[in-house]
Structure formats: structure tokens, C-alpha cells
Amino acid sequence: MFSLKGIVGKLWLTIIGLVAVVLLVLGLFLSQYLETSFPKSQDQIENLRKLGQKVTSGIALHNEDERYIDLVNDLLSAQDATVFVVDVDLKPMKLSSQKPNSMNLQYDDFFSAVMLKRVFAGETIDNQTVNSTGSRQQMNSQYSAVAVPLMDSTQQKIIGAAILYQAAQSVEATQAYVIRLFAYVSLIGFLMTTFFAFFLLTKITQPLLKLKKAADLISLGEYGTRVPITSSDEIGELGKTFNRMGEELSDTIKALSHEKEHLSSILRSMTDAVITFDSDGSVILANPQGDKIVNDWNQIHWIDGESEQSMLPVLQQHSSVIPEPMRMLFDEVITGAKEITSKLHVQNEVWSVVMTPLYARAAVRGVVAVLRDVTEEFRLDKLRKDFVANVSHELRTPLSMLQGYSEALLDDIAGSAEERQELAQVIHEESLRMGRLVRDLLDLARMETGNIELHFRVVEVRSFIKRMHRKFAALSKEQGILMSYELPEEELILYQADEDRLEQVLTNLLDNAIRHTPAQAEIVMRAERHTYKDEAAVLIEIIDQGIGIPAGDLPYVFERFYKADKARTRGATGGTGLGLSIVRNLVEAHQGAVAVKSTVGQGTTFSVLLPVKMITT
């Protein structure tokens, strides 16, 4: 499309301006030449006056010469001038052989009789422009004419008048003609320039427009776009270079795309969370695990006693900013420009965090954070340490007692047979306790490796609960604890269960309940129908009013040797610290589940879910 702002438009305006300047300069020079080369009307009249005076002087001297007037006219014809003579009666003088003028003009075509009377009186008169319109001559002819008195040879009287006329050579008319000629030439020049501009439009602008369109398509992602090569000039070379650039760009984009897809696949497949922040703490890039962490941690921070629906605008606003638990580490990395490795405790989870600065030249432009959930490792490490400490504790007490009492026997400290019997009894009980500890550890090891042997049969839950109540009624009564049970009217039957192992489960739970429930409190055993994994199940609950378990300890109560009360020590009749761990493994061996709820100072509820019919053995 033609536009004055385009290349062709600018080139067209440049050529138009150049042509206009050249024509203007040429016109000025030509105008100056016309003014200096062609006389003005006033100058032409003055020249005619002088020429007329010379002619009349010559005629007065040579009036006898028949051919003088013809000779004068022949000489004057070189300047487009003619002379004829009239007497005082306004009749042509009878000069011999005087011929009529070529235009058949008469004196009255230039001067009236009244005007000629002034000439006969001795005055020279002129007429600058005469438009001859008579029937004897051509139409619209312009002349300059003078009338000069003609004296006789004695110079004593006027015998007539010499009328000298010349075709008018007006510089103004010539200039008007030249101006018209310049106008025509300028118009033709402008038309040819415009035609040349449209010619360039097809030869230059159209290929350039195709290049622009192809560049726009490439910028929109169509990297296979190419331009046709229609010439071998500079534009054709530009097109070839553009196509070569497009091919290289397409290859580069493909390589970058493959690299990006490869990196994206790696990030998506990583179990670790990877998050990239800018220097302001806004999320630039994150894999799915990273997105989940940002959303979850921001939700934990911003929802505090408010409903999630009411806080939705706030969550949306902060879903792409650094979570508050990471803020301190982020600021430290931005400020110190160094890598930091640390652990974050967020609710009940432990995360290993590695933050590395991103540089733009020498400045830190962002941070890359890699987070790994080490909750299980942290828990196992804690359990390992606790296990070593607890085993050491559990073995140290009986070993110390065995060593002390055996030394007392060896040193014969006991003074009587009864004292020796008492010392031997303590040694025996501590050895039994160590035996129970070792046996429980072996049982637990077999359960965790799946080598436990179960003997399944039908178990009637109501009678089973009553039997367990009778078993612990005496012990609870000794402790001043009220024990009761709540059972439904309908039968509760487990079609595949090991009653001995279930008795071991309830024995451990009831033993714990009695040991941690104060006097005058109550322990309730409850059983009812329930649903577990969309299947019929039996729910057995042991509810006590004991001291309770702190919330931070609840996830660990089923671990080996774990003690909620760190200061509590076991007596000679106490447990081994493995009871709840054995409970969990036995229930899971029945394809059931065990859970605990507790409030400090109010009591604890252990829930055992057992499927009515086992799916697999």
C-alpha cells in the first residue's frame, strides 16, 4: 500500500522535490536570459524612434533613388520591421517602385488622421501595441509603430510622414509562454515520477511487505514461514538471508523446545519440590510438587480461624508468593548471596530446604529452592535414637538389679535363708522381665517381617469382650478403677480372626489404660457394627479417663519403646514399651486399623477396626 511515510513515498517525495528544484533553478536562469535577450516594449519603441529618424534622413537624401525604399525594407525585414511613406494628404508618396507591404497594411491600421496631423506638425509619435483587426490583415496581430516627420532635402518643410512598424516582441508574452511550457514539463515530470514510484512499489515495497509479513508470522510462532525469492538483487539476497535466518531460528527454537520439554519432564518426575523465586519473592517457576507446597503453606499461614471460602480472595492473591516459613531463609540468601541448607518444621512435617541464588551478572536476581520431605527419615532417625535409648534403659535396670543382688548373694550379705530367698526371687523376676522383653522384641520382629502365624476361626465379639472384662475386673478393682462395657443387642461375629492374638491386643490396651488411669476414674469397653473400606466391620473401643497423651506425641505412640511421659519409669511389673507397637502389627495382620484420640487431662480412646470377613488370608 502506497504511503508517504513508506520508502516509496519518501523516494517519490525526494524525486518530486529534486525535479521541482531543478525546474525552478532552470526557470530562474531562463527568465533572466529572456529579460536580458528580449527588449521590453518601451525599449522597442525607443529603438523604432531612432531607426525611424535615420530612415527619414536617408529618404530625404535619396528620395530620387527609385530603389531606396525597397532597399530599406529589405534591410528592415531582418528585424521584422517595415516602413511606408505618406504625404501630408495621407496618400502614399509616389516614390518610384514602392511596393505594397507584405501584410497589406495602411497608416490607419496604426494611427488616425488626427494623430498624423501632429506628425505633420513636426512631432514624432508612437503606438506601443497595436491590435490589427481590419479585414485587410490577419486577426489579432500585435505591432509597435512610430510615425516620424519626413523633411524635404532642403530641410525647410515637412512633406510627409514615414510610418515604421515592427511585430511586437513582448518579454512578458515570452515569459508566459515559457511558464506554460514549464507547467507542462513539470506535470509530465510529476506524472512520470509517480509512475516510477508505483513501479518501485512493485519492485521494492511488495517484497519488503512480504518480508514484514513473514517476520510477523515468525514472531507469532510460525517458524516454518519463508519468503519467495523473485530476484537476484539486494532484495533477493535479503530474502535468502531471511529464509536462512528462519531455518536457523526454527532449529534453535526446536532445540530449546526439546530442552525445555526435557527439563520440564525432569522437574515433573522429581519427587522433590523445585521452586524459583524472583528477587521480590514472587514465584517464577515451580514443578507440581512445588506448586502444592506454595499453595498449602500459604493456606496454612493465611487461614487462621477463618473459613477457607471467606479467605479465598486472599489465597488467590498470595498463591504466587513465597510462603512465610521460607521467608527468613529467602531473605538470608538474597542478602548474603550464598547457598543455604536448612530444615523447616511445618506443622507435623519436616522439610529439607536447599536455597541457591540466581545471578544476573553480579547481582542476585532470584533464588532456586529445592525442598524434600524428610518427615519419615526424621521420624525414623528419632525412633532409632529412642529405640537405642529405650533398649539401653530397659536392659540397664534389670541388669543392674541382677548384678547388685547377685553380688549380695556372693558377698553373703543376707543373714538368713529368708533374705537369700528374697534376693533370689528378685533375680528371678528380673530375669523373667528380660525374657519377656526379648520375647516381645522377637515377636515384633516376626510381625514386621510378615512371619507371624495366625490361626483364624469364628469369634463372637460380645462374649469375647465380656471375657476380657472378667479378666481385668480384679486388677481394676485393686486400683480403684471402675471398668464396664457397652455392647449392642445384636450379635457381632468375626468370621476370620485369631482370638488369642485379639486377646493379646486388648490385654495390651487395657493394661495401658489401667496403668495411666487414676483411681475413681472409669474405663469403658465398647463394641458396635461399623464400616471399613466399604466393607462390614466391627469397631472395638477402649475409653479411659486417664492423664491423656499430648498432641505432639500421638503420631508416635505405636512406635517401639516410645513413651509419652519421658519421666515415667517402669516398675518390675510394668510393660516392655513394645505393647502398642505389637497391637498395631497384630491389627494390621487382621487387615484392620488401629487409631488413637486423646485430650490431655481428660482421657484417651483407642479404636480397633476389624473386618467381619477377611478378603485375603
Side-chain angles (χ1 to χ4, degrees):
M1 182 179 180
F2 182 77
S3 173
L4 294 179
K5 295 183 179 180
I7 295 177
V8 175
K10 293 177 180 178
L11 183 61
W12 178 74
L13 289 176
T14 302
I15 297 176
I16 288 291
L18 182 62
V19 171
V21 170
V22 171
L23 290 177
L24 179 61
V25 173
L26 183 61
L28 291 176
F29 279 107
L30 187 57
S31 176
Q32 187 68 26
Y33 170 76
L34 292 175
E35 289 182 357
T36 56
S37 300
F38 292 89
K40 295 182 180 179
S41 299
Q42 189 63 36
D43 296 337
Q44 187 177 15
I45 293 298
E46 187 63 29
N47 290 336
L48 282 177
R49 281 176 176 270
K50 294 178 180 180
L51 186 59
Q53 292 175 357
K54 291 180 180 180
V55 168
T56 55
S57 298
I59 291 175
L61 294 175
H62 302 88
N63 58 1
E64 298 298 333
D65 189 349
E66 300 180 344
R67 300 192 54 81
Y68 183 75
I69 294 297
D70 294 337
L71 178 61
V72 170
N73 280 325
D74 289 339
L75 293 174
L76 292 176
S77 63
Q79 298 185 13
D80 293 330
T82 305
V83 63
F84 59 90
V85 182
V86 295
D87 58 14
V88 294
D89 295 328
L90 301 178
K91 295 181 180 180
M93 293 184 66
K94 299 296 186 179
L95 295 178
S96 58
S97 70
Q98 182 176 341
K99 299 178 181 178
N101 58 75
S102 60
M103 298 299 296
N104 197 21
L105 299 175
Q106 301 297 328
Y107 74 90
D108 56 357
D109 290 320
F110 304 102
F111 302 102
S112 63
V114 176
M115 296 174 66
L116 289 178
K117 287 182 179 181
R118 293 164 51 196
V119 176
F120 295 149
E123 181 182 355
T124 300
I125 63 175
D126 60 74
N127 192 350
Q128 293 184 1
T129 56
V130 179
N131 293 320
S132 298
T133 58
S135 61
R136 299 185 300 267
Q137 64 274 349
Q138 295 177 352
M139 301 292 292
N140 299 327
S141 299
Q142 293 186 348
Y143 298 91
S144 296
V146 295
V148 182
L150 180 62
M151 300 291 184
D152 61 2
S153 59
T154 62
Q155 294 290 325
Q156 294 180 352
K157 69 175 182 177
I158 295 174
I159 60 175
I163 299 173
L164 186 67
Y165 64 93
Q166 186 180 32
Q169 297 182 357
S170 174
V171 68
E172 290 82 1
T174 304
Q175 288 178 340
Y177 172 74
V178 171
I179 289 174
R180 287 195 303 272
L181 182 62
F182 263 66
Y184 296 147
V185 172
S186 300
L187 179 61
I188 294 174
F190 292 157
L191 292 176
M192 292 183 64
T193 302
T194 303
F195 173 78
F196 178 67
F198 280 100
F199 175 77
L200 289 180
L201 180 65
T202 59
K203 296 298 182 180
I204 297 179
T205 307
Q206 292 296 335
L208 292 178
L209 289 177
K210 292 179 180 179
L211 279 172
K212 177 183 178 299
K213 184 177 180 180
D216 291 338
L217 292 175
I218 288 180
S219 67
L220 294 175
E222 299 183 15
Y223 303 111
T225 304
R226 300 292 181 267
V227 295
I229 307 299
T230 58
S231 62
S232 58
D233 54 8
E234 289 82 356
I235 294 181
E237 292 298 324
L238 178 61
K240 293 179 181 178
T241 303
F242 180 87
N243 289 340
R244 186 165 57 252
M245 179 199 70
E247 293 175 358
E248 294 179 356
L249 180 61
S250 179
D251 294 339
T252 303
I253 294 298
K254 288 180 180 178
L256 291 175
S257 179
H258 291 163
E259 190 70 21
K260 180 180 178 181
E261 291 176 359
H262 181 64
L263 179 60
S264 178
S265 299
I266 292 176
L267 289 176
R268 286 195 304 269
S269 62
M270 289 178 62
T271 57
D272 295 344
V274 181
I275 312 171
T276 303
F277 303 97
D278 61 14
S279 58
D280 297 327
S282 298
V283 177
I284 301 175
L285 177 67
N287 63 352
Q289 293 79 6
D291 282 331
K292 185 176 184 301
I293 286 179
V294 171
N295 293 331
D296 292 347
W297 288 9
N298 278 326
Q299 183 174 353
I300 293 171
H301 176 71
W302 289 103
I303 297 181
D304 186 9
E306 298 285 346
S307 67
E308 184 172 354
Q309 188 66 29
S310 63
M311 293 297 292
L312 186 58
V314 179
L315 291 175
Q316 292 175 347
Q317 180 181 358
H318 293 86
S319 61
S320 61
V321 298
I322 185 169
E324 195 63 28
M326 301 173 62
R327 173 63 67 176
M328 186 177 296
L329 293 177
F330 173 81
D331 293 338
E332 188 175 348
V333 173
I334 291 293
T335 304
K338 61 181 181 179
E339 180 178 310
I340 293 179
T341 301
S342 181
K343 282 185 172 60
L344 292 178
H345 292 262
V346 182
Q347 289 189 328
N348 295 325
E349 298 177 338
V350 182
W351 293 83
S352 174
V353 182
V354 179
M355 283 194 174
T356 306
L358 290 174
Y359 293 95
R361 296 183 176 90
V364 177
R365 66 178 180 87
V367 173
V368 174
V370 180
L371 298 91
R372 175 176 295 176
D373 187 357
V374 294
T375 304
E376 186 64 19
E377 290 86 343
F378 184 80
R379 185 183 67 84
L380 293 176
D381 184 64
K382 183 176 182 297
L383 291 176
R384 178 184 60 81
K385 295 178 180 178
D386 291 344
F387 177 77
V388 173
N390 288 328
V391 169
S392 300
H393 173 74
E394 294 294 337
L395 291 176
R396 183 173 62 248
T397 300
L399 286 175
S400 298
M401 296 184 70
L402 286 173
Q403 180 181 356
Y405 282 99
S406 61
E407 288 177 353
L409 288 175
L410 290 174
D411 293 339
D412 200 18
I413 294 177
S416 62
E418 290 79 7
E419 292 180 352
R420 287 193 295 274
Q421 179 68 27
E422 184 178 352
L423 292 177
Q425 183 64 32
V426 172
I427 292 174
H428 177 70
E429 290 177 353
E430 292 300 324
S431 64
L432 290 178
R433 176 173 174 170
M434 291 182 63
R436 289 196 305 272
L437 176 62
V438 173
R439 185 172 60 255
D440 287 345
L441 284 173
L442 292 175
D443 289 342
L444 185 60
R446 284 195 297 270
M447 294 175 190
E448 290 180 346
T449 56
N451 294 325
I452 185 174
E453 184 178 355
L454 299 177
H455 302 282
F456 293 117
R457 65 176 185 268
V458 176
V459 176
E460 207 287 311
V461 177
R462 296 173 71 240
S463 60
F464 172 72
I465 295 296
K466 292 176 181 179
R467 181 162 58 84
M468 295 302 299
H469 178 265
R470 289 192 301 269
K471 178 178 179 180
F472 282 89
L475 180 59
S476 63
K477 186 176 181 180
E478 290 178 3
Q479 302 292 331
I481 300 172
L482 177 63
M483 180 176 288
S484 62
Y485 57 84
E486 296 178 4
L487 299 173
E489 295 294 334
E490 59 183 339
E491 287 187 346
L492 299 175
I493 297 177
L494 298 175
Y495 292 97
Q496 288 182 330
D498 188 328
E499 188 172 356
D500 293 336
R501 293 298 185 178
L502 292 182
E503 182 175 348
Q504 185 178 359
V505 168
L506 290 189
T507 298
N508 287 337
L509 293 178
L510 290 170
D511 182 66
N512 276 341
I514 291 174
R515 284 191 290 110
H516 296 95
T517 300
Q520 308 305 319
E522 183 180 6
I523 298 175
V524 178
M525 292 186 293
R526 179 185 299 162
E528 62 182 13
R529 289 190 180 277
H530 206 76
T531 301
Y532 178 61
K533 295 183 179 179
D534 297 329
E535 296 289 339
V538 173
L539 173 64
I540 301 175
E541 291 182 327
I542 308 299
I543 305 169
D544 66 51
Q545 296 177 351
I547 60 176
I549 303 173
D553 294 321
L554 286 177
Y556 307 104
V557 295
F558 293 103
E559 303 299 335
R560 291 175 294 183
F561 294 111
Y562 188 83
K563 292 181 294 184
D565 183 5
K566 306 299 186 297
R568 176 173 55 85
T569 59
R570 298 183 179 94
T573 60
T576 61
L578 301 175
L580 292 180
S581 181
I582 293 174
V583 166
R584 182 186 63 182
N585 282 276
L586 288 175
V587 172
E588 290 178 353
H590 283 76
Q591 297 189 4
V594 61
V596 59
K597 297 184 297 182
S598 182
T599 302
V600 176
Q602 296 183 12
T604 303
T605 300
F606 282 91
S607 302
V608 177
L609 267 172
L610 298 171
V612 170
K613 185 175 181 179
M614 301 286 290
I615 303 302
T616 58
T617 59

